[in-house]
Amino acid sequence: MSFPSFVALIPAAGVGARMGASIPKQYAPLAGKPMLQHVIETFSSAPLIDQVYVVVSPADAYIDELPLPPRCTVLRCGGDTRQASVTNGLRAIAARVDADDWVLVHDAARPGLTVELIDKLI
């Protein structure tokens, strides 16, 4: 019997139109680094998470500026909506996960996540 893996899927393809900022919301600085970086680092430091996938738009140049940990993969398949980005991301990782694996989806612009919350959820 094999145990399921846990992977994170972070939709981060938004442009932040409602926020009206000059950069997408997920790249807005919070405590010295972009919000998205906080989320990536939290998932990457969670011992139960095997892999982190970040879904960005194909034209996203900001992601290239972030220091990404080894277990983090960028998927340039984001859609026009969060739902489309999640769907595209799930399709992109389908061959990389097993049927009994769990995919935890967490929005890029919600930086309050902690390793303890991830452990509790799992």
Side-chain angles (χ1 to χ4, degrees):
M1 179 177 140
S2 68
F3 292 98
S5 291
F6 298 95
V7 300
L9 183 72
I10 305 169
V15 295
R18 291 180 302 188
M19 197 169 95
S22 61
I23 61 171
K25 179 171 49 174
Q26 63 271 25
Y27 296 106
L30 177 68
K33 53 188 157 186
M35 278 194 274
L36 174 57
Q37 189 174 347
H38 288 280
V39 176
I40 291 170
E41 288 174 358
T42 300
F43 272 115
S44 295
S45 64
L48 295 175
I49 300 297
D50 295 302
Q51 182 68 34
V52 178
Y53 296 100
V54 182
V55 181
V56 299
S57 69
D60 185 318
Y62 297 99
I63 192 72
D64 299 327
E65 301 300 318
L66 296 186
L68 298 177
R71 295 181 297 131
C72 184
T73 301
V74 174
L75 305 171
R76 296 183 182 276
C77 61
D80 292 336
T81 65
R82 183 176 295 116
Q83 179 182 347
S85 293
V86 171
T87 299
N88 293 349
L90 290 171
R91 286 182 179 139
I93 67 170
R96 304 176 195 187
V97 296
D98 292 330
D100 61 343
D101 290 345
W102 287 76
V103 179
L104 286 70
V105 178
H106 186 80
D107 191 73
R110 305 290 182 265
L113 185 66
T114 65
V115 172
E116 293 77 21
L117 287 172
I118 293 169
D119 290 345
K120 186 175 181 180
L121 176 64
I122 290 174

